[in-house]
Each structure stands twice: as structure tokens, then as C-alpha cells.
Amino acid sequence: MESMESQSALQNKHEQARVKSDWLISLNCQSLLPNIEEMRLIFTYNHPSIIAVTETWLNNTISDDKIHIQGYRVIQKDQLVHGSGGCTLYVTDGFNFKHRLELEDHDFEAIWIEGKINKTKYVIGCVYRAPDAPVDDFFNYLNDVVWIETWSGKEVIITGYLNCNCLNNTLQQMGRMEEFLMANVLTQ
């Protein structure tokens, strides 16, 4: 049986590892349910503050308890088109945040939260654009969110999957994404 001192040392070591780990991870899972056990295992040892997941392929028949990861609160936005899409944010229990529902639009797959990190206010979004979704409407929506939030003094972080082929700059989607990034001084 371990002594109390060694248990405490192990807890301290675990806490230090959590502090050193990435605080935000974004991934495209292409169906969350079949991958949830693997994610639970991964995020037992790697414990970022926020996990942003796109292409969850979830719908309103899937309850939060089926996709719960211990130590996290879950916020999900179901897919708009059957067979693809959907966004989920996992936010660690220790992270104080506000779900920004007023930034969400029923025409777009996006979840927004606001929280403070090292005295800086951040608005963090997990977004997904389906391949056939209107490019201009989607980037206009993102532009509006970024503009409103940066003008109110917040930093904006957008994670997700935009379905823009970055290898082909002749496509409208790539041109519109570059325009959005440059207009808002964002980097990828």
C-alpha cells in the first residue's frame, strides 16, 4: 500500500503534467460515438482545458451522458445535414466559462464560449462548414462574430473544420477564407 506522501507526490506530478499539456485541442473525429472510448482513454492522461471536436455526426437522439468524458462538461451542436457535421466542446470542470448562445446561428454549425485565461478574455469557437454550405454566408457569419467580439476587447480563437482546400488557391472557398483571415488579422 502506498504511503500518503507518495500518493501526494504522484498527485503533484499529475497536476504538473496537466499544467504543461496543451490547453486547447481541436480534432475532427468523423463520428464521435464509435470513437468515444478512445477519446476517454486519451483525455484521461492528457487533460487540456478545452477539447473542440468537429464532424461528431451527432443528432438530437444522442444524450450528453453517452458522450461524457470524466472531468469535462459537454456542449454540443447537432449536425445540420444528415451524415456529416456537428460540433462538440468539452470544457474541463475547473475552467470558468460562459456559453455564448447569442453568437450561435441556426444556419451554421458553431459553438461559442467565453472565458478568461491569464487575465485575458477569450471567445472560443468550434465551427464546421459542410462542403456544400454557402462559402460567403459562412465567412460573413464568422466575420460578424470576430468583429463584434474583438471590438469589445476580447481575443477570438476559432477551431474547427472549414472544408476549404488550402492546396488549391483558385477555388472560391480558399479565396474567401484568405480574405477573412487577412481582414481579421488571423493566422492559421
Side-chain angles (χ1 to χ4, degrees):
M1 181 164 190
E2 289 184 356
S3 71
M4 289 298 276
E5 186 176 321
S6 64
Q7 285 179 345
S8 177
L10 187 59
Q11 267 185 319
N12 286 339
K13 186 176 181 180
H14 181 66
E15 287 302 313
Q16 288 173 355
R18 286 171 64 176
V19 169
K20 291 179 183 177
S21 70
D22 294 328
W23 68 272
L24 183 140
I25 292 178
S26 178
L27 55 101
N28 181 322
C29 72
Q30 294 189 342
S31 193
L32 184 56
L33 277 178
N35 296 305
I36 192 63
E37 288 305 321
E38 183 177 4
M39 287 182 57
R40 286 176 178 142
L41 182 63
I42 290 168
F43 295 117
T44 296
Y45 299 104
N46 300 305
H47 204 77
S49 297
I50 300 168
I51 307 165
V53 186
T54 54
E55 285 205 83
T56 59
W57 300 357
L58 299 176
N59 58 48
N60 62 3
T61 66
I62 310 297
S63 63
D64 287 354
D65 63 321
K66 289 186 179 178
I67 59 167
H68 181 262
I69 296 176
Q70 187 173 350
Y72 288 90
R73 290 166 284 170
V74 63
I75 306 167
Q76 69 177 24
K77 175 117 183 197
D78 297 332
Q79 62 187 358
L80 294 177
V81 179
H82 179 68
S84 69
C87 300
T88 298
L89 278 175
Y90 290 94
V91 184
T92 192
D93 288 337
F95 187 80
N96 190 19
F97 74 97
K98 175 183 172 185
H99 185 184
R100 297 288 306 274
L101 285 166
E102 73 278 11
L103 297 178
E104 296 175 16
D105 185 308
H106 70 275
D107 291 332
F108 303 105
E109 296 180 42
I111 303 170
W112 299 94
I113 62 170
E114 180 178 325
K116 196 180 274 190
I117 302 164
N118 297 328
K119 299 181 183 178
T120 302
K121 284 187 179 179
Y122 286 89
V123 172
I124 301 164
C126 178
V127 302
Y128 173 77
R129 186 187 75 80
D132 57 350
V135 174
D136 285 332
D137 293 346
F138 180 78
F139 282 108
N140 287 340
Y141 162 70
L142 288 182
N143 193 61
D144 289 347
V145 170
V146 170
W147 190 86
I148 289 166
E149 295 306 315
T150 56
W151 278 101
S152 66
K154 298 174 192 113
E155 297 290 327
V156 177
I157 297 173
I158 301 171
T159 67
Y161 190 51
L162 306 180
N163 270 307
C164 292
N165 182 350
C166 295
L167 299 175
N168 186 348
N169 62 4
T170 62
L171 296 174
Q172 179 207 10
Q173 58 184 262
M174 188 54 204
R176 187 60 181 96
M177 185 175 84
E178 285 178 339
E179 193 179 287
F180 166 72
L181 293 173
M182 288 174 42
N184 292 291
V185 193
L186 298 173
T187 58
Q188 183 177 346

